[in-house]
């Protein structure tokens, strides 16, 4: 009494109210509803409302404008539009609850689980959570059909493509949140209830359009060194940390080693003890400035490129802040694999590491002095790994 009903509670009344008590009991529809709602809400209070919003947008919204109809009052629109034919139609209500509602809530709960806890088979769902790419929910619900035989493949492919789209826009300095949101709904309309083979084509088309719009010239390639060349410190801090975490995972996976730190610590933990921070390889001092002919503008822009950055744990980052490169090199020992590849001892009797270099044709080598050419070399090396991480 006196407490306003939530949208999903109103929706329950409108749906189950159309079915006789005998059928409700015989088909256990009330129990079905409560069980599925409890499953979704176990992740977060009233998450079921977010499910219905994503579900309706996934199936019926082709644009951002259309998606806004399915916000807080989605239950009203569901009946006023009657696209699911649930108004005054008890047979359709029963079919909806026993089929679509049950399937999509189960699918949504799987995404929530992989979103929260890292699972190597569905790693990109977790990665998208780290970067707040929650539109993967909408796109997966859009593509899948009840009891979809391609469900597992779609979970993997769509989450990978969302991560790839986001990251390739970021590292090519072409990110625009509004344009990205518009593109997501175009992709959703294209892959809705479709075959998994349609997905990469839809994402590539969107990526090329977004790159063209951001850069003002027609993009013919989804990844270009000319667009990557100047990328660096201007990226959001969390994304820079995520970028280097993915580089770290690439090296670990291809050298049969375990990650030294969790993705949470590398990307999201901002604590002084376990959090990681962006480190400039070239400290801002006179010795390094001379390497750039005392051109301060050039020195600043170059040292800020991704090739001149890396991740260090909190205290390590503070202690190496203004050291000359020779001393910094010592502090990179026993930190992260990417950092350690600057050091000679990373190349001694490391067969798996040598095999990775050969397999991917990567220009890894120890670097005992670090100037303009070495920075460019490391930047190109990152680009070469990017080509394999986000193919």
């Amino acid at each position: 009494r006196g407490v306003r009903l939530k949208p999903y509670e109103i929706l329950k009344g409108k749906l189950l109210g159309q079915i006789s008590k005998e059928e409700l009991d015989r088909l256990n529809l009330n129990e079905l509803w409560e069980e599925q709602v409890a499953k979704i809400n176990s992740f977060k209070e009233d998450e079921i409302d977010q499910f219905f919003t994503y579900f309706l947008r996934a199936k019926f919204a082709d644009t951002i404008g259309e998606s806004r109809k399915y916000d807080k009052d989605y239950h009203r629109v569901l009946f006023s539009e009657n696209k699911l034919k649930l108004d005054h139609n008890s047979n359709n209500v029963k079919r909806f609850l026993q089929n679509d509602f049950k399937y999509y809530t189960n699918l949504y709960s799987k995404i929530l689980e992989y979103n929260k806890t890292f699972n190597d088979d569905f790693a990109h769902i977790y990665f998208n959570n780290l970067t707040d790419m929650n539109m993967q929910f909408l796109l997966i619900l859009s593509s899948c059909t009840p009891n979809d035989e391609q469900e597992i493949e779609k979970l993997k492919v769509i989450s990978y493509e969302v991560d790839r789209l986001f990251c390739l826009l970021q590292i090519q300095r072409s990110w625009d949140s509004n344009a990205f949101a518009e593109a997501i709904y175009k992709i959703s309309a294209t892959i809705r209830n479709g075959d998994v083979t349609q997905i990469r084509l839809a994402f590539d088309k969107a990526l090329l359009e977004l790159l063209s719009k951001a850069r003002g010239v027609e993009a013919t390639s989804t990844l270009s060194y000319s667009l990557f060349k100047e990328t660096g410190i201007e990226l959001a801090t969390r994304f820079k940390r995520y970028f280097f975490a993915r580089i770290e995972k690439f090296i670990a996976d291809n050298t049969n080693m375990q990650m030294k730190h969790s993705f949470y610590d590398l990307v999201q933990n901002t604590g002084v003890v376990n959090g990681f921070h962006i480190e400039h390889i070239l400290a801002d001092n006179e010795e390094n400035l001379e390497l750039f002919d005392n051109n301060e503008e050039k020195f600043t822009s170059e040292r800020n490129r991704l090739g001149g950055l890396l991740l260090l744990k909190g205290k390590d980052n503070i202690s190496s802040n203004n050291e000359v490169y020779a001393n910094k090199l010592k502090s990179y020992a026993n930190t992260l694999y990417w950092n350690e590849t600057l050091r000679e001892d990373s190349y001694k009797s490391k067969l798996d590491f040598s095999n990775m270099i050969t397999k991917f044709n990567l220009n890894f080598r120890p670097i005992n002095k670090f100037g303009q050419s070495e920075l460019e070399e490391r930047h190109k090396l990152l680009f070469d790994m990017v080509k394999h991480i986000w193919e």
Side-chain angles (χ1 to χ4, degrees):
R1 292 181 183 177
V3 178
R4 185 177 180 180
L5 289 174
K6 292 161 185 173
Y8 71 91
E9 294 171 327
I10 298 172
L11 180 59
K12 176 188 176 182
K14 287 189 173 185
L15 293 175
L16 300 189
Q18 299 182 49
I19 304 170
S20 67
K21 186 179 185 305
E22 291 76 15
E23 282 196 295
L24 283 175
D25 293 340
R26 180 171 61 84
L27 300 174
N28 294 318
L29 294 179
N30 186 66
E31 290 77 9
L32 169 62
W33 176 276
E34 292 299 329
E35 181 180 331
Q36 296 305 109
V37 168
K39 181 182 291 187
I40 300 298
N41 284 346
S42 67
F43 290 92
K44 184 180 178 182
E45 184 178 1
D46 299 332
E47 180 67 24
I48 191 66
D49 278 328
Q50 187 64 65
F51 159 75
F52 276 115
T53 297
Y54 277 132
F55 171 70
L56 293 170
R57 288 175 172 177
K59 295 306 181 186
F60 303 120
D62 293 347
T63 66
I64 292 178
E66 291 177 3
S67 75
R68 295 193 181 103
K69 295 186 294 185
Y70 306 108
D71 287 339
K72 294 181 180 179
D73 291 331
Y74 64 81
H75 57 293
R76 302 184 193 278
V77 180
L78 181 59
F79 281 91
S80 64
E81 291 188 339
N82 204 26
K83 288 183 177 179
L84 290 173
K85 296 180 171 56
L86 300 176
D87 192 21
H88 297 95
N89 193 328
S90 61
N91 286 331
N92 277 354
V93 170
K94 285 182 284 187
R95 278 193 291 268
F96 172 74
L97 292 174
Q98 292 175 311
N99 295 286
D100 290 38
F101 176 67
K102 184 175 181 180
Y103 172 75
Y104 285 110
T105 48
N106 283 337
L107 175 61
Y108 191 78
S109 69
K110 291 177 187 177
I111 306 170
L112 285 171
E113 184 60 43
Y114 300 139
N115 198 53
K116 181 181 71 171
T117 306
F118 182 82
N119 180 311
D120 205 46
D121 288 334
F122 301 95
H124 290 88
I125 294 179
Y126 181 78
F127 294 156
N128 287 327
N129 181 45
L130 292 177
T131 57
D132 294 329
M133 285 293 103
N134 291 326
M135 295 306 276
Q136 65 178 333
F137 287 90
L138 178 137
L139 293 173
I140 292 170
L141 293 176
S142 174
S143 179
C144 288
T145 56
N147 304 311
D148 199 322
E149 293 181 355
Q150 297 180 333
E151 178 188 299
I152 292 177
E153 193 175 359
K154 286 180 177 179
L155 282 167
K156 293 179 179 180
V157 172
I158 291 173
S159 58
Y160 174 84
E161 293 295 343
V162 170
D163 177 67
R164 174 176 176 264
L165 178 63
F166 174 66
C167 292
L168 292 187
L169 288 171
Q170 288 281 345
I171 63 175
Q172 295 182 96
R173 299 186 300 153
S174 300
W175 171 254
D176 180 294
S177 59
N178 292 329
F180 182 83
E182 292 172 1
I184 289 294
Y185 281 96
K186 287 183 181 179
I187 294 170
S188 176
T190 302
I191 69 174
R192 184 175 295 136
N193 304 326
D195 190 84
V196 70
T197 56
Q198 299 174 345
I199 295 170
R200 167 54 71 95
L201 295 173
F203 273 89
D204 271 357
K205 183 175 184 292
L207 178 54
L208 289 172
E209 289 176 354
L210 289 168
L211 288 172
S212 299
K213 183 177 180 180
R215 311 303 292 189
V217 293
E218 184 178 357
T220 57
S221 173
T222 56
L223 180 60
S224 164
Y225 187 70
S226 64
L227 299 184
F228 177 77
K229 184 175 175 62
E230 305 302 327
T231 302
I233 199 71
E234 76 284 349
L235 295 168
T237 299
R238 184 190 288 192
F239 180 79
K240 289 195 292 285
R241 293 173 64 178
Y242 175 67
F243 175 83
F244 284 111
R246 293 300 304 273
I247 294 296
E248 193 72 3
K249 181 168 171 53
F250 176 82
I251 296 173
D253 287 348
N254 288 289
T255 54
N256 299 310
M257 294 190 289
Q258 296 294 317
M259 293 277 285
K260 292 185 177 185
H261 299 272
S262 70
F263 263 88
Y264 174 79
D265 281 346
L266 292 173
V267 180
Q268 292 188 317
N269 192 340
T270 57
V272 175
V273 177
N274 292 316
F276 280 76
H277 306 277
I278 301 299
E279 152 89 349
H280 281 88
I281 295 174
L282 291 172
D284 189 359
N285 57 41
E286 291 184 4
E287 179 180 305
N288 288 330
L289 181 59
E290 288 179 5
L291 298 174
F292 293 81
D293 303 317
N294 291 310
N295 185 327
E296 291 190 14
E297 184 177 347
K298 184 177 182 180
F299 173 56
T300 300
S301 64
E302 287 292 303
R303 73 187 285 264
N304 282 336
R305 293 168 64 200
L306 287 173
L309 305 175
L310 45 77
L311 280 182
L312 274 185
K313 210 169 180 179
K315 291 181 179 179
D316 295 332
N317 179 267
I318 294 170
S319 64
S320 72
N321 195 25
N322 289 310
E323 292 180 327
V324 296
Y325 177 70
N327 290 334
K328 277 179 175 280
L329 201 55
K330 296 176 184 177
S331 69
Y332 296 158
N334 301 313
T335 56
L336 296 177
Y337 298 130
W338 171 243
N339 309 350
E340 292 169 357
T341 61
L342 289 164
R343 296 170 48 87
E344 287 192 17
D345 51 12
S346 294
Y347 298 82
K348 295 177 181 176
S349 304
K350 301 284 181 67
L351 182 60
D352 287 331
F353 191 67
S354 298
N355 289 340
M356 178 192 71
I357 293 172
T358 302
K359 177 182 178 181
F360 296 106
N361 191 27
L362 298 172
N363 185 28
F364 274 104
R365 69 176 182 88
I367 296 179
N368 295 318
K369 69 177 188 68
F370 203 90
Q372 294 185 54
S373 61
E374 289 79 16
L375 195 152
E376 172 66 11
E377 181 181 319
R378 292 286 281 188
H379 198 78
K380 284 183 176 177
L381 177 54
L382 286 172
F383 180 76
D384 289 337
M385 285 187 284
V386 162
K387 288 190 290 188
H388 297 292
I389 297 170
W390 293 288
E391 296 174 347

